[in-house]
Amino acid sequence: MSRIPEKIHELTVGQLSARSGAAVSALHFYEAKGLIHSRRTPGNQRRYCRDTLRRVAFIRAAQRVGIPLATIREALAELPEERTPTREDWARLSEAWRAELDDRIAQLNRLRDHLTDCIGCGCLSLKSCVLSNPDDERGEQQAGSRLMRERR
């Protein structure tokens, strides 16, 4: 029985884009950020292992729920080199991200519910500012636009 050539198990960037639904530019960006890896042919063309499809699916799913790329990179770095994330990996990581997502959801709900009350001025002396000054914690310290100055 003849052996299947190794190159059949690899995808070009265009094939990976078509199969994953990610733009070629996104794949290049993911690679530049260390999220995926390719090898270069003698003609300097990228070739991706088929397992990269699962990594890209993992990255895109995590991005859709609001996980930053830096956090995704950290999660992928925990996996043995070049191993694709499994369902168990996703379950473990998504559980770890749950608290962060719950906090973001709570912040977004506060923003939605109080958006008409706040123009983002940063005055911090408002007793009811639930966006940048929940429970008026900063109002006890000092009045004025302290938060806006601190962010600069």
Side-chain angles (χ1 to χ4, degrees), residues 33-35 58 68-79 92-93 97:
K33 294 297 182 184
L35 297 165
F58 180 92
L69 281 178
T71 304
I72 297 168
R73 182 178 47 249
E74 290 170 8
L76 290 171
E78 293 177 11
L79 302 175
R92 178 177 48 81
L93 292 167
W97 295 334

Side-chain angles (χ1 to χ4, degrees), residues 13-33:
V13 70
Q15 290 168 329
L16 182 59
S17 174
R19 295 279 309 274
S20 68
V24 169
S25 59
L27 296 172
H28 289 170
F29 181 76
Y30 294 161
E31 189 169 359
K33 294 297 182 184

Side-chain angles (χ1 to χ4, degrees), residues 6-20:
E6 187 66 29
K7 66 181 177 183
I8 291 178
H9 297 290
E10 294 180 322
L11 302 168
T12 65
V13 70
Q15 290 168 329
L16 182 59
S17 174
R19 295 279 309 274
S20 68

Side-chain angles (χ1 to χ4, degrees), residues 87-126:
R87 181 174 293 193
E88 292 78 22
D89 293 326
W90 178 257
R92 178 177 48 81
L93 292 167
S94 63
E95 182 62 33
W97 295 334
R98 182 175 293 278
E100 181 182 340
L101 292 173
D102 287 344
D103 287 345
R104 281 200 212 147
I105 290 167
Q107 279 183 312
L108 287 170
N109 283 333
R110 280 196 307 272
L111 176 61
R112 180 201 60 218
D113 295 344
H114 299 282
L115 189 59
T116 57
D117 298 335
C118 180
I119 59 169
C121 66
C123 74
L124 304 180
S125 62
L126 297 174

